[in-house]
Amino acid sequence: IISPPDMFVQGRLSTAEHDQNELNISIQNHNIPYKFVEGRKLIAFYSMGCKFCKMSAERLSVLVRKEQIDTSSIKVVFWESSKRKPSQFYEETHAIFYDNIQLPTEPYLAITKGRMPLLLLINNGVVEEQMNYRNMDESKIKQFLKSE
């Protein structure tokens, strides 16, 4: 099966979704640190074994290096795993190491609605844009993270 280029399938594939209420609960319960949502941040929700999560991390790292985006504005929330460690994910992807946490299964799946990767552009706790691997918009990410 051949996978068509992303520009040909935009609008045909499922869009990114998140549950704002569950995200708020995880922030209030300190499962997700406030520093992850303070200011303008990109929060990436990745599963360490997910092929598209790995490709997303690689793609994001290329953008960050090319556009010289401050890496402190990017945070990663991993699905907690007893089998894998974040260091393995970064080694496999050769991605930039971002500040990260591991979230237990229930809140992670509630926030992401079971769809990964999930990229959220957040401005002081308010989600302004949500993306997945297929609809990842590099120009929006660059504009959002470089504007203060």
Side-chain angles (χ1 to χ4, degrees):
I1 298 175
I2 298 174
S3 178
D6 294 343
M7 64 186 210
F8 292 130
V9 293
Q10 283 199 339
R12 292 190 201 161
L13 299 174
S14 62
T15 58
E17 289 184 56
H18 78 285
D19 187 314
Q20 184 65 47
N21 187 50
E22 292 293 336
L23 178 63
N24 293 342
I25 290 169
S26 286
I27 293 166
Q28 289 168 356
N29 291 342
H30 305 290
N31 289 328
I32 296 177
Y34 184 71
K35 70 179 182 174
F36 273 42
V37 297
E38 182 179 37
R40 297 175 82 78
K41 300 284 191 304
L42 181 149
I43 301 180
F45 288 80
Y46 293 145
S47 170
M48 290 181 251
C50 165
K51 174 176 104 173
F52 289 103
C53 295
K54 291 175 183 178
M55 292 184 340
S56 173
E58 292 169 349
R59 190 171 167 186
L60 182 60
S61 289
V62 169
L63 173 67
V64 168
R65 287 181 182 111
K66 183 176 108 183
E67 299 297 335
Q68 299 177 348
I69 295 171
D70 181 7
T71 57
S72 69
S73 64
I74 300 170
K75 309 294 182 192
V76 176
V77 177
F78 286 109
W79 181 350
E80 190 173 65
S81 170
S82 60
K83 297 176 186 173
R84 302 179 65 99
K85 303 289 178 225
S87 58
Q88 291 172 292
F89 180 88
Y90 289 113
E91 285 173 22
E92 290 171 10
T93 61
H94 305 286
I96 295 171
F97 185 89
Y98 303 108
D99 195 12
N100 65 81
I101 60 165
Q102 290 187 20
L103 198 59
T105 300
E106 290 79 18
Y108 183 92
L109 291 177
I111 292 167
T112 64
K113 297 187 176 184
R115 295 181 178 162
M116 295 148 268
L118 174 65
L119 305 174
L120 300 178
L121 298 179
I122 295 183
N123 188 1
N124 289 314
V126 177
V127 175
E128 293 193 5
E129 189 81 37
Q130 53 190 357
M131 303 174 189
N132 58 24
Y133 176 73
R134 287 281 195 183
N135 70 356
M136 189 174 172
D137 188 325
E138 295 175 8
S139 63
K140 281 185 184 177
I141 293 171
K142 174 185 155 187
Q143 181 181 1
F144 181 81
L145 294 177
K146 287 201 144 197
S147 64
E148 285 294 329

